[in-house]
Amino acid sequence: MSRRPNGRAIKKHRSYTVDEAARALKASKGTVRRWVKNGLPALTDQRPALIMGSELIAFLDGRKKKSQPCQLHQAFCFSCHAPRDPAFADVEVRPLTTTGGMMRALCGRCATVMHKRLSLARMPELRALVTVSIVQGDERIGESRSPCPNDHLETMR
Ligand SMILES: [Zn+2]
């Protein structure tokens, strides 16, 4: 099953049943039904319900875009599926190059570790919003590879 359904598999001028859409996107039928519940337009007054290819593409595109508008001090939480403020207004930044770094914070809602790339030029702005600790070196390398380290959950609760 594909984690990120891709609208490119969908033909604009076709209509799809939930079953067909799920198969085209390699998603589960439950996933497609959930999209319909969450605002994907579908002709539900007929059986089987039909989803227009163009609506499906627009919906998937919108989701992709919606997943990005983090404010500077926010990062995308993969547990909440939303941009979140850092817990305790506290973030760590590890410079990776002279211009860019990786910001790390705990989701203010669920304490999942969040990461995002950050331009170091924006550090002054970031410092105005949250407390920033600079982390140097490799001591924390590896964490960014793990999708959901939850060693912090204990202390957060
Ligand atoms: Zn979260």
Side-chain angles (χ1 to χ4, degrees), residues 92-96 100-103 133 135-138 140-141 144:
E92 286 175 2
V93 173
R94 183 175 51 215
L96 299 175
M102 187 64 79
M103 182 179 107
S133 322
V135 183
Q136 298 284 1
D138 292 342
R140 292 174 188 276
I141 218 151
S144 57

Side-chain angles (χ1 to χ4, degrees), residues 77 80 107 110:
C77 173
C80 296
C107 171
C110 73

Side-chain angles (χ1 to χ4, degrees), residues 75-133:
F76 188 81
C77 173
F78 286 97
S79 291
C80 296
H81 299 284
R84 290 285 186 232
D85 289 345
F88 313 122
D90 205 2
V91 306
E92 286 175 2
V93 173
R94 183 175 51 215
L96 299 175
T97 65
T98 50
T99 54
M102 187 64 79
M103 182 179 107
R104 180 178 173 280
L106 297 180
C107 171
R109 188 78 57 102
C110 73
T112 295
V113 177
M114 314 183 289
H115 294 92
K116 80 166 178 180
R117 288 195 171 268
L118 183 81
S119 163
L120 295 182
R122 303 195 71 184
M123 288 294 286
E125 283 172 74
L126 184 65
R127 285 184 192 277
L129 294 165
V130 292
T131 308
V132 182
S133 322

Side-chain angles (χ1 to χ4, degrees), residues 1-2 6 12 19 48 56 70 93 112-113 123 125 136 152:
M1 235 189 273
S2 160
N6 189 330
K12 216 177 187 166
D19 198 25
L56 191 49
C70 292
V93 173
T112 295
V113 177
M123 288 294 286
E125 283 172 74
Q136 298 284 1
H152 294 272

Side-chain angles (χ1 to χ4, degrees), residues 33-109:
R33 283 201 200 96
R34 201 167 61 236
W35 293 342
V36 171
K37 243 168 110 186
N38 290 341
L40 169 62
L43 307 169
T44 49
D45 52 354
Q46 57 183 76
R47 295 282 154 203
L50 282 183
I51 301 159
M52 294 304 298
S54 54
E55 303 271 28
L56 191 49
I57 291 167
F59 181 77
L60 292 173
D61 277 359
R63 274 162 39 104
K64 245 184 275 156
K65 276 183 217 124
K66 241 182 264 164
S67 69
Q68 288 306 327
C70 292
Q71 293 173 43
L72 182 61
H73 65 293
Q74 294 182 319
F76 188 81
C77 173
F78 286 97
S79 291
C80 296
H81 299 284
R84 290 285 186 232
D85 289 345
F88 313 122
D90 205 2
V91 306
E92 286 175 2
V93 173
R94 183 175 51 215
L96 299 175
T97 65
T98 50
T99 54
M102 187 64 79
M103 182 179 107
R104 180 178 173 280
L106 297 180
C107 171
R109 188 78 57 102

